[in-house]
Amino acid sequence: MELPIDDVNAPLYTVGQVAAMLDVQVAFLRRLDEQGVVVPRRSAGGQRRYSRREISQVAEVIRLTREGLTLTGVRRVLALQARVEDLEADLAAARGGDERGDAEGDSVGQSTGDGS
């Protein structure tokens, strides 16, 4: 039985909890939301609720901003990372979901490439 806590996309954490976890100000999290960098879902009462995936994204934002990126740059990096994940999922699906496809393809290519 899978519980909501097992789902990385389940919006379980409040803005205050996330701020405490990551040692940032609530205002910083609100700014990320307002600028479309990390947009958490909202509860029925309109409160921000973060999933574990979104918390990881905020941690990545913190890391990137410490390296000197602007929020505009961070938003672009996150969009590119999401696109890479989508493409990797598409590639895995095209290969039949078999992650070993790379290794098998490499070994086939090597055995035929050396003249054997």
Side-chain angles (χ1 to χ4, degrees), residues 19-83:
M21 278 187 246
L22 299 177
D23 194 28
V24 296
Q25 297 293 316
V26 169
F28 175 73
L29 296 172
R30 287 185 183 131
R31 188 165 49 130
L32 294 181
D33 184 10
E34 291 162 1
Q35 294 191 13
V37 179
V38 178
V39 180
R41 281 174 267 177
R42 300 284 180 144
S43 68
Q47 296 179 331
R48 292 173 176 88
R49 294 283 189 230
Y50 291 81
S51 66
R52 289 195 333 252
R53 182 177 308 278
E54 290 159 345
I55 293 169
S56 294
Q57 287 176 332
V58 173
E60 179 74 355
V61 169
I62 293 165
R63 185 184 70 76
L64 291 169
T65 56
R66 286 183 180 154
E67 290 180 5
L69 268 70
T70 64
L71 288 183
T72 300
V74 168
R75 189 172 38 244
R76 182 71 178 139
V77 167
L78 293 178
L80 290 170
Q81 287 174 339
R83 180 68 178 134

Side-chain angles (χ1 to χ4, degrees), residues 75-103:
R75 189 172 38 244
R76 182 71 178 139
V77 167
L78 293 178
L80 290 170
Q81 287 174 339
R83 180 68 178 134
V84 167
E85 287 177 14
D86 290 345
L87 291 170
E88 286 173 340
D90 290 349
L91 182 58
R95 290 182 174 160
D98 186 6
E99 293 288 331
R100 298 177 307 145
D102 283 332

